[in-house]
Amino acid sequence: MSLAESWNKYAVGSKPRRAANAKGETTWLNWTQYADHGPNESVLGSVEGRRVLELGSGSGSNLAHLVTLGATGLGVDVAPARETVAKKRWAGLAGLEFRTAEATAFLSETGETFDVVLSIFGAVWFVDPHTLLPLIRSRLASGGTLAFSHLPAESQDVKPGKAGLRHNHSLDAWEILLTSHGFAAVSASLVDPPQGETVGTMLVRAVAR
Ligand SMILES: C[S@@+](CC[C@H](N)C(=O)[O-])C[C@H]1O[C@@H](n2cnc3c(N)ncnc32)[C@H](O)[C@@H]1O
């Protein structure tokens, strides 16, 4: 099965995000695997007027929130079913586009420059960072922000997930990887899980040098 087919299968089995969160908001950004938990979009700084790229954008809900705050957004996802669902769900929102593409292929081909790149349990988790980070850096404006989240590091650096290989790295490993691929001001932290849960979330932010 190809990468697109296997992620498409995963997409078909995934539940759509709720219409509103616990605060009654209809759009919001969530970096973690838990509903209504953890930091919000403030991790990215102000996104107003900024061009934002999400790698592995899924249903597009996180990116849509940034667009409601004044960004323009492009969501790239390898699974065609994601583009269909995201376009349908966010059809009324101007300044937001979705495209089916594998992240490294997209970054290699695009001529666009972005101010912010984010990936929430997305392509940054599933592509070898030695391949992906230089490509992200090449399409990110100097001073631009990269931020991403994934499950905390396990004993193995690369581990099979439901639909792809997960690249699990520790806080220290991300700092070394990002610094060696043109990023600075790396801040990597573990977001504590909510009460009753045991697994936290790795959240990493860096600035393009
Ligand atoms: C676990 S889901 C997370 C989706 C979304 N970011 C969210 O938080 O709901 C991972 C997403 O990344 C996409 N993906 C995985 N590998 C990718 C790649 N190499 N290029 C583009 N998208 C990828 C998958 O199709 C899937 O939609």
Side-chain angles (χ1 to χ4, degrees):
M1 203 186 281
S2 71
L3 191 71
E5 285 167 337
S6 104
W7 278 111
N8 223 38
K9 202 171 153 205
Y10 176 86
V12 170
S14 69
K15 279 196 248 157
R17 190 192 253 193
R18 298 159 299 155
N21 66 9
K23 289 187 191 158
E25 296 158 334
T26 53
T27 69
W28 66 96
L29 187 142
N30 189 349
W31 297 99
T32 80
Q33 64 273 48
Y34 304 109
D36 307 310
H37 178 70
N40 62 12
E41 71 282 350
S42 59
V43 168
L44 299 171
S46 171
V47 293
E48 195 177 357
R50 302 183 89 192
R51 181 74 174 140
V52 179
L53 171 68
E54 183 170 5
L55 297 173
S57 45
S59 66
S61 302
N62 288 310
L63 188 59
H65 179 62
L66 298 178
V67 170
T68 68
L69 299 177
T72 60
L74 173 60
V76 168
D77 199 294
V78 71
R82 296 295 202 177
E83 180 182 336
T84 309
V85 167
K87 277 187 169 161
K88 193 170 165 204
R89 179 154 188 179
W90 302 109
L93 197 54
L96 178 59
E97 301 158 73
F98 295 99
R99 199 171 302 169
T100 299
E102 195 283 316
T104 56
F106 169 78
L107 290 162
S108 306
E109 285 159 18
T110 184
E112 256 209 88
T113 300
F114 298 89
D115 303 305
V116 175
V117 175
L118 78 153
S119 186
I120 299 181
F121 288 75
V124 171
W125 197 21
F126 297 106
V127 179
D128 185 339
H130 290 293
T131 304
L132 192 60
L133 292 180
L135 287 170
I136 293 176
R137 178 62 195 87
S138 72
R139 302 317 326 162
L140 196 53
S142 286
T145 302
L146 166 65
F148 55 90
S149 58
H150 62 73
L151 288 180
E154 295 166 89
S155 47
Q156 282 167 279
D157 281 356
V158 181
K159 200 176 170 214
K162 282 187 189 148
L165 280 183
R166 294 169 175 178
H167 292 266
N168 294 306
H169 295 290
S170 65
L171 305 172
D172 291 347
W174 274 124
E175 172 137 31
I176 293 166
L177 279 163
L178 285 156
T179 306
S180 68
H181 287 296
F183 293 86
V186 179
S187 75
S189 58
L190 269 183
V191 180
D192 286 336
Q195 216 173 9
E197 298 287 349
T198 53
V199 181
T201 309
M202 180 77 75
L203 178 60
V204 183
R205 182 184 185 279
V207 174
R209 274 204 302 264

